[in-house]
Amino acid sequence: MALSASQTLNFPVDRVAAVFADEAFQRHVSELVGGRLESFSVDGDVAGAFTATVVRQLPTQRLPEIARKVVGEYINVTQTENWGAPEADGSRQADIKVKVAGAPVDVAAVQRLAADGGATRIELNGTVSSSVPLLGGKIASAAEPMVGKALNLQATQAEAWLAGEIN
């Protein structure tokens, strides 16, 4: 299933990227949805190319019942973001991979933080897939809206975080 989302934040790219690489912010987003941040790491300097790895334990109550029977009450989700160094205008891009432990769902996406004056346009494009024969398309289509909502929630929370409304 195709995944596409776009949102504009009223903060410059360097500040948005720094929030995405902030452990306290990632913990906040995890807890906001009833989950828990299991681990967080950043490899490299956020001012240049870096990799952020976030492992969350998330509740499954919003999944279809058939999926909950397979994965249980909680799932562990690992999100790996490989960020490139800033471009000349400050824009950045990350290759994102999401793996769900115990569930046949994978997400591969490219997230771009495009400099737009003093603002940042977040553009995300990717795919949600499942390796289950015959049911893979149904599983991916059920997961796609949840993945899209999660990524939009992160952007909305990043704006509130930067504005000092939370944290």
Side-chain angles (χ1 to χ4, degrees):
M1 297 297 311
L3 179 64
S4 182
S6 179
Q7 191 163 353
T8 299
L9 305 185
N10 293 313
F11 294 92
V13 171
D14 61 334
R15 293 196 54 208
V16 173
V19 166
F20 288 165
D22 182 302
E23 183 172 356
F25 173 74
Q26 294 296 339
R27 180 171 284 104
H28 164 73
V29 172
S30 299
E31 292 171 355
L32 185 67
V33 297
R36 182 172 77 214
L37 184 65
E38 294 287 306
S39 67
F40 178 80
S41 65
V42 173
D43 184 22
D45 184 346
V46 177
F50 69 96
T51 299
T53 304
V54 182
V55 180
R56 295 181 174 95
Q57 183 183 72
L58 299 173
T60 60
Q61 78 260 18
R62 293 185 181 155
L63 293 177
E65 187 173 334
I66 190 166
R68 285 194 313 267
K69 287 180 180 179
V70 173
V71 298
E73 194 175 338
Y74 289 92
I75 54 174
N76 280 348
V77 177
T78 301
Q79 182 171 327
T80 305
E81 301 178 355
N82 291 305
W83 287 91
E87 298 170 10
D89 69 351
S91 296
R92 300 188 77 144
Q93 185 167 301
D95 291 321
I96 299 174
K97 302 279 187 222
V98 178
K99 298 280 185 190
V100 180
V105 175
D106 293 309
V107 178
V110 173
Q111 180 169 269
R112 180 163 174 73
L113 304 181
D116 189 6
T120 301
R121 192 175 59 256
I122 302 173
E123 301 166 346
L124 183 95
N125 291 291
T127 58
V128 179
S129 61
S130 176
S131 59
V132 175
L134 303 175
L135 295 175
K138 287 183 181 182
I139 293 169
S141 64
E144 185 271 331
M146 286 180 264
V147 172
K149 285 178 186 176
L151 295 167
N152 281 329
L153 174 70
Q154 181 170 316
T156 301
Q157 290 299 303
E159 180 142 45
W161 188 273
L162 287 164
E165 296 169 8
I166 52 177
N167 68 2

mmCIF file of all heavy atoms in Angstrom, residues 39-56:
data_model
loop_
_atom_site.group_PDB
_atom_site.id
_atom_site.type_symbol
_atom_site.label_atom_id
_atom_site.label_comp_id
_atom_site.label_asym_id
_atom_site.label_seq_id
_atom_site.Cartn_x
_atom_site.Cartn_y
_atom_site.Cartn_z
ATOM 1 N N SER A 39 13.912 1.724 23.726
ATOM 2 C CA SER A 39 15.298 2.170 23.567
ATOM 3 C C SER A 39 15.360 3.241 22.482
ATOM 4 O O SER A 39 14.478 3.335 21.633
ATOM 5 C CB SER A 39 16.236 1.007 23.222
ATOM 6 O OG SER A 39 15.950 0.486 21.940
ATOM 7 N N PHE A 40 16.422 4.031 22.561
ATOM 8 C CA PHE A 40 16.622 5.116 21.603
ATOM 9 C C PHE A 40 18.115 5.330 21.460
ATOM 10 O O PHE A 40 18.845 5.359 22.454
ATOM 11 C CB PHE A 40 15.954 6.407 22.108
ATOM 12 C CG PHE A 40 16.171 7.575 21.192
ATOM 13 C CD1 PHE A 40 15.411 7.723 20.053
ATOM 14 C CD2 PHE A 40 17.158 8.503 21.457
ATOM 15 C CE1 PHE A 40 15.620 8.783 19.191
ATOM 16 C CE2 PHE A 40 17.370 9.575 20.612
ATOM 17 C CZ PHE A 40 16.598 9.716 19.473
ATOM 18 N N SER A 41 18.574 5.478 20.237
ATOM 19 C CA SER A 41 19.993 5.773 20.022
ATOM 20 C C SER A 41 20.162 6.641 18.783
ATOM 21 O O SER A 41 19.362 6.586 17.853
ATOM 22 C CB SER A 41 20.809 4.481 19.865
ATOM 23 O OG SER A 41 20.420 3.788 18.693
ATOM 24 N N VAL A 42 21.202 7.464 18.830
ATOM 25 C CA VAL A 42 21.591 8.276 17.684
ATOM 26 C C VAL A 42 23.052 7.984 17.415
ATOM 27 O O VAL A 42 23.886 8.082 18.314
ATOM 28 C CB VAL A 42 21.385 9.787 17.953
ATOM 29 C CG1 VAL A 42 21.950 10.618 16.813
ATOM 30 C CG2 VAL A 42 19.907 10.097 18.145
ATOM 31 N N ASP A 43 23.355 7.606 16.194
ATOM 32 C CA ASP A 43 24.722 7.335 15.778
ATOM 33 C C ASP A 43 25.135 8.433 14.805
ATOM 34 O O ASP A 43 24.591 8.521 13.708
ATOM 35 C CB ASP A 43 24.808 5.958 15.120
ATOM 36 C CG ASP A 43 26.228 5.575 14.736
ATOM 37 O OD1 ASP A 43 27.189 6.126 15.310
ATOM 38 O OD2 ASP A 43 26.372 4.727 13.837
ATOM 39 N N GLY A 44 26.061 9.277 15.235
ATOM 40 C CA GLY A 44 26.510 10.388 14.409
ATOM 41 C C GLY A 44 26.049 11.704 15.005
ATOM 42 O O GLY A 44 25.304 11.749 15.985
ATOM 43 N N ASP A 45 26.517 12.777 14.404
ATOM 44 C CA ASP A 45 26.191 14.124 14.853
ATOM 45 C C ASP A 45 24.945 14.606 14.116
ATOM 46 O O ASP A 45 24.893 14.578 12.885
ATOM 47 C CB ASP A 45 27.380 15.046 14.560
ATOM 48 C CG ASP A 45 27.203 16.457 15.077
ATOM 49 O OD1 ASP A 45 26.071 16.844 15.448
ATOM 50 O OD2 ASP A 45 28.197 17.192 15.109
ATOM 51 N N VAL A 46 23.934 15.056 14.852
ATOM 52 C CA VAL A 46 22.670 15.498 14.263
ATOM 53 C C VAL A 46 22.876 16.658 13.291
ATOM 54 O O VAL A 46 22.073 16.869 12.393
ATOM 55 C CB VAL A 46 21.664 15.861 15.377
ATOM 56 C CG1 VAL A 46 20.367 16.393 14.796
ATOM 57 C CG2 VAL A 46 21.384 14.645 16.238
ATOM 58 N N ALA A 47 23.976 17.396 13.415
ATOM 59 C CA ALA A 47 24.259 18.493 12.488
ATOM 60 C C ALA A 47 24.672 17.974 11.111
ATOM 61 O O ALA A 47 24.623 18.711 10.128
ATOM 62 C CB ALA A 47 25.357 19.395 13.054
ATOM 63 N N GLY A 48 25.060 16.711 11.025
ATOM 64 C CA GLY A 48 25.458 16.097 9.753
ATOM 65 C C GLY A 48 24.605 14.863 9.495
ATOM 66 O O GLY A 48 23.449 14.795 9.900
ATOM 67 N N ALA A 49 25.206 13.875 8.834
ATOM 68 C CA ALA A 49 24.506 12.613 8.594
ATOM 69 C C ALA A 49 24.466 11.831 9.908
ATOM 70 O O ALA A 49 25.441 11.810 10.657
ATOM 71 C CB ALA A 49 25.220 11.813 7.514
ATOM 72 N N PHE A 50 23.330 11.212 10.191
ATOM 73 C CA PHE A 50 23.204 10.420 11.406
ATOM 74 C C PHE A 50 22.127 9.368 11.230
ATOM 75 O O PHE A 50 21.312 9.437 10.307
ATOM 76 C CB PHE A 50 22.896 11.306 12.629
ATOM 77 C CG PHE A 50 21.523 11.925 12.633
ATOM 78 C CD1 PHE A 50 20.472 11.319 13.316
ATOM 79 C CD2 PHE A 50 21.271 13.117 11.965
ATOM 80 C CE1 PHE A 50 19.210 11.893 13.330
ATOM 81 C CE2 PHE A 50 20.009 13.699 11.982
ATOM 82 C CZ PHE A 50 18.969 13.086 12.666
ATOM 83 N N THR A 51 22.125 8.392 12.133
ATOM 84 C CA THR A 51 21.100 7.362 12.158
ATOM 85 C C THR A 51 20.446 7.377 13.528
ATOM 86 O O THR A 51 21.133 7.351 14.545
ATOM 87 C CB THR A 51 21.698 5.969 11.885
ATOM 88 O OG1 THR A 51 22.289 5.972 10.584
ATOM 89 C CG2 THR A 51 20.630 4.882 11.939
ATOM 90 N N ALA A 52 19.125 7.437 13.545
ATOM 91 C CA ALA A 52 18.359 7.353 14.789
ATOM 92 C C ALA A 52 17.578 6.049 14.776
ATOM 93 O O ALA A 52 16.959 5.701 13.760
ATOM 94 C CB ALA A 52 17.403 8.536 14.923
ATOM 95 N N THR A 53 17.632 5.331 15.895
ATOM 96 C CA THR A 53 16.894 4.083 16.023
ATOM 97 C C THR A 53 15.991 4.183 17.252
ATOM 98 O O THR A 53 16.471 4.439 18.355
ATOM 99 C CB THR A 53 17.850 2.879 16.157
ATOM 100 O OG1 THR A 53 18.738 2.872 15.043
ATOM 101 C CG2 THR A 53 17.073 1.570 16.196
ATOM 102 N N VAL A 54 14.706 3.999 17.020
ATOM 103 C CA VAL A 54 13.700 4.096 18.077
ATOM 104 C C VAL A 54 13.000 2.748 18.182
ATOM 105 O O VAL A 54 12.510 2.227 17.178
ATOM 106 C CB VAL A 54 12.644 5.176 17.738
ATOM 107 C CG1 VAL A 54 11.632 5.315 18.864
ATOM 108 C CG2 VAL A 54 13.295 6.505 17.407
ATOM 109 N N VAL A 55 12.961 2.188 19.392
ATOM 110 C CA VAL A 55 12.214 0.955 19.629
ATOM 111 C C VAL A 55 11.122 1.283 20.635
ATOM 112 O O VAL A 55 11.397 1.764 21.732
ATOM 113 C CB VAL A 55 13.119 -0.179 20.161
ATOM 114 C CG1 VAL A 55 12.294 -1.447 20.385
ATOM 115 C CG2 VAL A 55 14.278 -0.443 19.212
ATOM 116 N N ARG A 56 9.882 1.041 20.208
ATOM 117 C CA ARG A 56 8.725 1.338 21.051
ATOM 118 C C ARG A 56 7.915 0.073 21.288
ATOM 119 O O ARG A 56 7.815 -0.787 20.414
ATOM 120 C CB ARG A 56 7.793 2.331 20.359
ATOM 121 C CG ARG A 56 8.338 3.689 20.128
ATOM 122 C CD ARG A 56 7.261 4.573 19.452
ATOM 123 N NE ARG A 56 7.703 5.929 19.335
ATOM 124 C CZ ARG A 56 8.280 6.453 18.254
ATOM 125 N NH1 ARG A 56 8.462 5.712 17.182
ATOM 126 N NH2 ARG A 56 8.650 7.716 18.237
#
